Amino acid sequence: MYDKEKKEVINAGIKLDRYGLIALSGGNVSLKVDEDRVLVTPSGMIYEELEIDDIILMDLSGEVIEGTRKASVDTKALLYIYNNMPEINAVIHTHQPYATALGLVEEEFKCNLTTLANATKGSVSVCPFSSAASEQMGIEAVENLNGKLAVILKNHGVITVGNSLKQALYSCVYLEEAAKTYCIAKAMSDNVAMMTEEQIEQAVKIFDYYGQGKENVPDELVMG
């Protein structure tokens, strides 16, 4: 059941490793496949070694429908997000180093790149600490997303959400790129240029036209 979607979950996990956002079996990937059904990666298994049957299918109460593996230890947090944000179809949790490092010294990652605005819809909040395996991870994410697609978990990692795995993955990747760029700039100077709210809003709107099969960006959206 849902073999195609299970493969998508596995491929997303492999990409997290490819882009340096996790190490070994860190983090997790989940995908809502029906109104009340979610696919979740198993606990402690390396993504590139996963088979379709390793992915767990459960309902939003946590009742396993299909699969024999132990689900991610963060399943309570994932289910909290899905139950409290019904518009969300995908959640990714990583331990990506640059964004996590920023969470140790900042209370918010101010938007510094157009790609960050594109992928997360602007600045990213840093949540108070919550341990792995706790529902509190999900509570903090829901309370701090504020219309964005990513949050940084202090001393822990990152949670991104989206209407698809692709959107959640883009948020992870471009958040890390922006965090790395910020760290490089900060090492060069304390005067790091950040984007204005007007620039962020423009970047978010332009991204709606990104990709094949979409109209060209209207001239009125482009700033000189």
Side-chain angles (χ1 to χ4, degrees):
M1 195 182 305
Y2 302 110
D3 284 1
K4 176 177 176 291
E5 290 83 359
K6 289 177 181 178
K7 186 63 176 175
E8 290 175 2
V9 168
I10 294 172
N11 286 339
I14 291 172
K15 288 178 181 177
L16 296 181
D17 189 15
R18 179 183 303 163
Y19 288 109
L21 306 181
I22 56 99
L24 298 175
S25 59
N28 47 71
V29 179
S30 61
L31 175 66
K32 187 162 67 174
V33 290
D34 208 336
E35 187 175 340
D36 63 347
R37 293 186 175 187
V38 179
L39 297 173
V40 181
T41 48
S43 175
M45 296 185 69
I46 295 174
Y47 296 100
E48 63 184 1
E49 297 176 356
L50 292 178
E51 303 289 344
I52 286 176
D53 290 343
D54 293 322
I55 305 300
I56 299 94
L57 174 67
M58 62 178 63
D59 64 24
L60 290 181
S61 71
E63 187 74 24
V64 174
I65 299 169
E66 187 175 88
T68 59
R69 298 293 190 184
K70 174 185 175 183
S72 167
V73 295
D74 297 325
T75 296
K76 287 182 181 178
L78 303 175
L79 293 177
Y80 184 90
I81 295 171
Y82 286 116
N83 279 308
N84 288 274
M85 299 184 71
E87 72 278 14
I88 293 303
N89 293 321
V91 180
I92 294 177
H93 169 48
T94 73
H95 300 147
Q96 53 199 80
Y98 282 92
T100 304
L102 280 179
L104 302 180
V105 296
E106 306 284 355
E107 296 304 317
E108 182 182 38
F109 180 24
K110 296 288 188 180
C111 190
N112 65 333
L113 297 181
T114 57
T115 47
L116 182 63
N118 294 160
T120 67
K121 299 188 183 298
S123 301
V124 177
S125 296
V126 177
C127 301
F129 173 78
S130 56
S131 71
S134 70
E135 185 179 63
Q136 192 65 30
M137 284 175 58
I139 295 172
E140 295 294 348
V142 170
E143 291 183 353
N144 289 279
L145 278 165
N146 299 321
K148 307 303 194 304
L149 299 179
V151 291
I152 298 171
L153 306 172
K154 189 178 288 292
N155 303 101
H156 190 163
V158 164
I159 286 179
T160 65
V161 300
N163 56 27
S164 66
L165 276 175
K166 181 179 179 179
Q167 188 175 49
L169 181 65
Y170 270 48
S171 294
C172 290
V173 172
Y174 284 119
L175 171 57
E176 190 70 353
E177 179 189 67
K180 186 183 296 186
T181 303
Y182 175 81
C183 290
I184 294 169
K186 190 71 172 175
M188 297 167 65
S189 170
D190 284 334
N191 185 25
V192 180
M194 295 301 191
M195 295 177 68
T196 66
E197 287 301 317
E198 182 182 14
Q199 291 168 337
I200 293 170
E201 182 179 351
Q202 180 219 24
V204 171
K205 289 179 179 177
I206 287 177
F207 197 62
D208 288 338
Y209 297 88
Y210 179 79
Q212 299 299 310
K214 296 183 179 181
E215 297 177 5
N216 292 328
V217 179
D219 291 339
E220 59 267 24
L221 280 184
V222 181
M223 292 181 180

